[in-house]
Amino acid sequence: MALTWKEKLADRMDPDLAREIDVYEMQLELKRQGKVDDKLFAETRLRRGVYGQRYDSGLRHDGVAERELRYPCGSLTKGPDTIWDAPGMQRIKIPFGGLTAEQLEVLADLAEEYSDGIAHVTTRQDIQLHYVHIDDTPTIMRRLAAVGITTREACGNSVRNVTACPIAGVCREETFDVTPYAKATSRFLLGHPDTQDLGRKFKIAFSGCKHNACGLVTLHDLGFVARVRHEQGVEKRGFEVYVGGGLGAVPYQAKLFDEFVTEDEILPLSQAICRVFARLGEKRNRARARLKFLVAKLGLEEFRRLVLEERKILPPDERWTAYLKDLPHYRETPSRPPRSLDGAALPEGFEDWFRTNVYRQRQPGYAVATVTLPLGDITSWQLRQLADIARRYSGDNIRTTVEQNIVLRWVPEADLPSLYEDLRAIGLGEGGASTIVDVVACPGTDTCKLGIASSRGLAAVLRRRLQERSHELDEAIRGLHIKISGCFNACGQHHICDLGFYGVSRNVRGTTVPHFQVVLGGQWEENAATYGLAIGAVPSKRIPEVVDRLSERYLRERQHGETFQSFIRRIGKKAVKDMLEDLTQVPPYEEDRSYYSDWGDPREFTIGDMGKGECAGEVVSLFEFEIQAAERLVFEAQLHLEAGDIQKADETAYRAMLQAAKALVRTQYLDVRDEPDAIVEEFRTRFYDTRLFWDKYAGGKFAHYLFHRHEDRPRSYTPEKAHHLVEEANLFVEAAHACRARMLERSGRETPAASGGHEQVVELKL
């Protein structure tokens, strides 16, 4: 009888990891027997990186109606509304992105045998396998454990993958190599008792310098930037420490917790922060459960005081400093000696690839080569070939990047031409790394059940269009960054780039049309120093024109040395919005059906919701007029923010939420009074308490944006609070759109009625 993987790998797995996987497998069996609650089991599998995937509810809308998907497991579930047999996703933690050639081969085997043959690199340096059956996950975990990889705490309310700059240790500008610190932090906090009761996920990043983008420290719950001090002629290593950052629906910039924490203190400090977060962080309202909300609620000074008090009472742990004694011996081993480019003939296309994909290391004669992965995808066959190539040129010095690529470090410069030819032979020789062509996107509607629009479909189209013109692109355009998320949750990091987009939908004449919000003003450099704001929604099919129009105007009107971010700030968002206004229009379905389906998905969106047009004029509901007014107020708030009028920006954003709430209330109760108290009370009673204003996954979080602002009177006005409120107002208006669309979908069609507790419809003559 053939051995099982468990038997084959018994002596190759870390005993603790092996035991954990055995326990997980037992939990699967108990769930099959109906002995574990759905919610408990869902969190159990999430903490091992086993995610639900789109359509795991067993339902799929085919553009006409919702259809039932048939799975052989019957009613067996693996979480609330999650069918056991439905395909899922396995997330695999790769601390600081570090991989070996052997690990690449195992990932290739797993992708081929249990997934769709694709491994996907994420914006947190993880690897994801999609279309995985839950029954296969224990074996996947054992095969990973045998090569030193764990999926533990890859998801769920836990410390997620610890990320770090992919060129740490070879960077010409870093203060020192942060790799061993990232590795030590990851190991120390993995499964630590003080991280098992967090209300939400907790993300950590390390950066070797302050000014580049590699570490993206300021968007993390806890971030470390390398620094040194000289005391009495001795150099001491330490870190600037930042806390309370995060993207998500409303992004927060991390705040400086301490200018210099010595290297021996970073682990106990991290532990103390986790303990304070676990004790005082929100647990019931998930929408307010990230560390950023706790820091904002307590204030930085009080948060710091609590953490330092906690630090004082921590029981000593030798692991805090044990790894430091090995630091002097930490080094990577190249597979070949260094050699400079020797003037030999270069293959066709090499120079273009070299310009964007090669970074000269601070160690003479060596370079880092970036393997560009369009959309972060690599096939199992390519992974195996890449493992061989890595052995040949760089050894086990492989890392994933937050731009969804893979880098090979310690490549002798003289080997770069042959490396390029070998990569090209396996379809991985594309250039354009870290340029506008290198579009980053989350999975979106391809596999994520939160996705609203097709982020990957749009990314593929933009990438193809830009690549076709890459030779004619000006250097100023080449250097821009595009990032796309399928929804407001920002997995594609759309806030921290030149051109960001996130998926939304609009109900146009009774039909749902995919759109993307256009986000401008974000900054990738300086560890993601500035977050952009949405300026308006554009139909998905017109986003390529948005990119063309903005980039062409920037090229035409930019001043010497002016960045895209500075250019947008100089011309003002009103000018940008005016420039894009005509692109926001959606033609009637009969004139152009293409607007009513998304990129890469020929299905038409909710055709059953489509209403009948009018010949003599457009029938526009009162809701549409009023929600449009709310959108206008959000944009006005942005303009006030841009002009530095903080109080006015804050108050206008608040008015926008009230306006959107009133628009919804008036679909049920036309005579609601204009006073804020009356609007909020009616909104709470009719839409929050009844859960009509309830997102399937976000719950009532968008309603809380209004409630919190309404209750915050008198209010102190700050630029940061105003920025957050503008972002929240934008999301509240989007949620009002979605709420109305759900109501229409339920009723089947819009019901015109003049009054008496029903919606009023206004005829707009054109």
Side-chain angles (χ1 to χ4, degrees):
M1 185 184 226
L3 293 176
T4 65
W5 281 107
K6 181 179 176 179
E7 292 163 338
K8 281 184 198 172
L9 302 174
D11 60 349
R12 294 186 56 191
M13 291 185 283
D14 176 278
D16 291 338
L17 280 182
R19 173 64 185 151
E20 284 174 11
I21 299 168
D22 289 346
V23 170
Y24 169 68
E25 193 168 41
M26 196 182 307
Q27 287 165 324
L28 260 68
E29 182 53 34
L30 290 172
K31 184 69 182 76
R32 288 190 197 96
Q33 295 174 16
K35 295 178 179 174
V36 184
D37 171 73
D38 260 354
K39 281 188 178 177
L40 178 60
F41 182 74
E43 180 63 14
T44 299
R45 63 175 167 75
L46 284 169
R47 290 195 184 198
R48 283 156 181 81
V50 182
Y51 245 74
Q53 200 170 289
R54 202 171 184 87
Y55 313 125
D56 64 7
S57 63
L59 299 171
R60 185 182 192 193
H61 203 293
D62 66 359
V64 177
E66 205 163 57
R67 311 290 186 189
E68 185 178 346
L69 300 171
R70 296 185 183 279
Y71 294 117
C73 63
S75 60
L76 181 61
T77 57
K78 51 188 174 186
D81 302 322
T82 309
I83 304 296
W84 188 269
D85 280 341
M89 179 265 282
Q90 176 69 67
R91 181 174 293 159
I92 300 162
K93 277 174 112 171
I94 310 295
F96 62 89
L99 284 165
T100 66
E102 182 186 22
Q103 289 171 338
L104 287 189
E105 287 174 332
V106 170
L107 288 166
D109 291 344
L110 298 179
E112 187 171 86
E113 294 173 39
Y114 304 108
S115 176
D116 59 349
I118 303 284
H120 177 74
V121 178
T122 76
T123 53
R124 287 203 62 73
Q125 298 179 292
D126 292 308
I127 299 285
Q128 287 182 179
L129 305 179
H130 294 274
Y131 302 99
V132 171
H133 196 288
I134 191 169
D135 288 344
D136 293 327
T137 53
T139 299
I140 290 174
M141 292 173 192
R142 289 191 178 102
R143 294 176 69 175
L144 289 168
V147 290
I149 296 177
T150 180
T151 68
R152 183 170 183 184
E153 295 169 2
C155 310
N157 302 328
S158 59
V159 177
R160 301 291 184 86
N161 194 38
V162 175
T163 59
C165 170
I167 56 171
V170 299
C171 174
R172 300 191 300 270
E173 300 171 57
E174 69 183 2
T175 306
F176 56 80
D177 185 0
V178 298
T179 304
Y181 301 94
K183 185 187 290 188
T185 304
S186 177
R187 287 180 176 173
F188 176 67
L189 294 178
L190 181 70
H192 195 289
D194 288 340
T195 67
Q196 301 306 301
D197 190 31
L198 306 180
R200 285 283 274 136
K201 57 191 171 186
F202 188 85
K203 297 180 178 178
I204 301 175
F206 283 81
S207 177
C209 70
K210 194 165 183 174
H211 301 297
N212 292 316
C214 316
L216 302 176
V217 160
T218 64
L219 60 83
H220 284 77
D221 296 282
L222 177 58
F224 298 92
V225 178
R227 285 195 64 182
V228 292
R229 263 185 187 171
H230 292 86
E231 296 178 0
Q232 299 177 335
V234 178
E235 182 180 280
K236 293 190 72 172
R237 284 185 174 187
F239 292 86
E240 274 185 13
V241 177
Y242 292 83
V243 295
L247 291 180
V250 179
Y252 280 59
Q253 288 280 348
K255 300 182 187 314
L256 182 61
F257 181 88
D258 197 321
E259 289 184 350
F260 191 82
V261 173
T262 53
E263 60 182 352
D264 57 335
E265 269 298 304
I266 64 170
L267 295 188
L269 181 68
S270 301
Q271 184 182 348
I273 289 172
C274 287
R275 284 171 70 135
V276 171
F277 179 40
R279 190 173 72 245
L280 300 178
E282 174 65 45
K283 296 284 173 58
R284 284 184 295 182
N285 180 2
R286 289 178 60 77
R288 310 287 295 180
R290 290 289 298 272
L291 182 73
K292 60 187 181 184
F293 297 112
L294 180 63
V295 173
K297 178 182 169 186
L298 296 174
L300 181 62
E301 291 305 315
E302 176 62 7
F303 179 76
R304 183 186 291 121
R305 186 189 70 77
L306 290 168
V307 169
L308 296 180
E309 287 296 316
E310 194 72 35
R311 167 67 188 93
K312 288 179 189 170
I313 62 171
L314 285 180
D317 189 331
E318 62 179 20
R319 292 177 299 166
W320 289 344
T321 54
Y323 72 100
L324 294 175
K325 68 178 187 303
D326 297 325
L327 281 184
H329 312 295
Y330 176 79
R331 58 180 50 87
E332 293 175 319
T333 306
S335 63
R336 297 186 181 193
R339 282 192 304 143
S340 299
L341 273 170
D342 52 14
L346 301 175
E348 184 183 353
F350 174 79
E351 290 182 11
D352 284 342
W353 176 80
F354 182 91
R355 189 170 69 243
T356 56
N357 288 45
V358 174
Y359 175 86
R360 280 205 158 101
Q361 296 185 190
R362 63 184 167 86
Q363 295 86 0
Y366 286 110
V368 177
T370 298
V371 182
T372 309
L373 304 180
L375 307 182
D377 290 348
I378 183 168
T379 69
S380 52
W381 178 79
Q382 287 174 322
L383 263 179
R384 273 192 210 98
Q385 303 304 311
L386 186 61
D388 288 342
I389 289 173
R391 285 194 180 96
R392 201 174 310 144
Y393 296 104
S394 75
D396 284 335
N397 303 305
I398 308 160
R399 297 200 187 182
T400 54
T401 79
V402 296
E403 291 185 281
Q404 301 179 299
N405 294 320
I406 290 177
V407 297
L408 304 180
R409 301 147 56 97
W410 297 96
V411 179
E413 290 182 5
D415 289 343
L416 288 168
S418 54
L419 168 65
Y420 168 67
E421 288 193 302
D422 286 349
L423 288 175
R424 199 168 57 169
I426 62 170
L428 293 177
E430 283 192 22
S434 294
T435 70
I436 193 170
V437 175
D438 201 8
V439 180
V440 168
C442 72
T445 51
D446 275 16
T447 53
C448 177
K449 54 185 174 184
L450 301 180
I452 297 172
S454 177
S455 45
R456 281 168 59 86
L458 175 61
V461 168
L462 292 179
R463 182 183 180 86
R464 186 171 63 248
R465 284 167 55 96
L466 291 163
Q467 202 165 31
E468 288 169 357
R469 295 185 287 139
S470 61
H471 289 291
E472 62 193 58
L473 288 177
D474 187 276
E475 281 302 316
I477 303 301
R478 276 175 178 268
L480 301 183
H481 290 87
I482 298 177
K483 296 181 186 292
I484 307 171
S485 301
C487 72
F488 52 80
N489 281 308
C491 296
Q493 301 179 335
H494 58 258
H495 292 103
I496 55 163
C497 59
D498 301 290
L499 294 158
F501 304 100
Y502 73 87
V504 295
S505 66
R506 288 285 184 274
N507 189 283
V508 180
R509 304 178 195 88
T511 301
T512 303
V513 178
H515 280 59
F516 279 90
Q517 279 280 0
V518 180
V519 180
L520 299 175
Q523 187 179 4
W524 170 245
E525 295 79 13
E526 306 286 334
N527 274 300
T530 310
Y531 297 158
L533 282 171
I535 65 160
V538 174
S540 176
K541 290 299 173 73
R542 306 207 75 167
I543 294 298
E545 293 173 78
V546 171
V547 174
D548 290 346
R549 209 172 274 190
L550 286 170
S551 58
E552 286 166 8
R553 182 163 178 183
Y554 169 55
L555 194 60
R556 197 169 56 244
E557 299 181 12
R558 71 194 163 103
Q559 298 174 349
H560 180 69
E562 189 175 37
T563 65
F564 184 78
Q565 187 192 24
S566 301
F567 168 74
I568 293 295
R569 195 184 309 125
R570 176 168 61 79
I571 68 172
K573 287 183 178 166
K574 182 176 186 311
V576 176
K577 192 174 177 68
D578 290 346
M579 183 172 63
L580 303 180
E581 187 61 35
D582 63 308
L583 299 181
T584 64
Q585 304 305 309
V586 179
Y589 177 80
E590 295 78 7
E591 284 183 20
D592 191 343
R593 294 185 177 190
S594 69
Y595 284 74
Y596 297 81
S597 60
D598 210 344
W599 294 108
D601 188 346
R603 293 175 301 143
E604 292 173 346
F605 270 56
T606 58
I607 297 302
D609 299 335
M610 198 168 63
K612 189 175 180 180
E614 296 288 328
C615 296
E618 293 288 347
V619 175
V620 180
S621 72
L622 179 61
F623 174 81
E624 288 174 78
F625 275 119
E626 296 198 330
I627 200 69
Q628 189 180 54
E631 287 179 328
R632 175 181 51 75
L633 285 169
V634 173
F635 187 68
E636 280 181 18
Q638 278 202 48
L639 297 182
H640 293 315
L641 193 64
E642 195 172 63
D645 194 337
I646 303 307
Q647 182 171 343
K648 209 163 185 177
D650 193 296
E651 290 172 345
T652 307
Y654 173 45
R655 282 172 53 211
M657 285 195 280
L658 286 171
Q659 174 65 39
K662 183 179 163 189
L664 282 173
V665 170
R666 276 160 67 86
T667 63
Q668 293 187 351
Y669 175 45
L670 207 55
D671 298 324
V672 61
R673 300 196 314 276
D674 287 334
E675 291 84 5
D677 286 346
I679 293 172
V680 172
E681 183 182 344
E682 291 292 344
F683 173 76
R684 186 189 293 274
T685 304
R686 294 169 181 275
F687 286 87
Y688 180 75
D689 293 344
T690 60
R691 296 198 169 195
L692 279 174
F693 196 80
W694 208 259
D695 183 271
K696 185 174 181 181
Y697 300 105
K701 101 171 167 183
F702 303 117
H704 284 283
Y705 294 159
L706 172 62
F707 299 152
H708 285 141
R709 175 60 183 87
H710 183 66
E711 290 158 9
D712 189 9
R713 296 178 296 176
R715 180 174 171 90
S716 62
Y717 298 95
T718 69
E720 187 178 32
K721 285 168 74 172
H723 189 107
H724 291 156
L725 196 71
V726 171
E727 192 82 51
E728 289 174 350
N730 195 56
L731 292 164
F732 187 90
V733 172
E734 289 296 338
H737 271 293
C739 173
R740 183 66 186 137
R742 287 194 300 273
M743 291 166 67
L744 290 172
E745 191 169 341
R746 284 177 193 171
S747 66
R749 62 186 177 84
E750 195 163 6
T751 305
S755 60
H758 298 288
E759 181 164 4
Q760 184 182 51
V761 175
V762 178
E763 186 170 324
L764 175 65
K765 296 291 184 184
L766 300 175

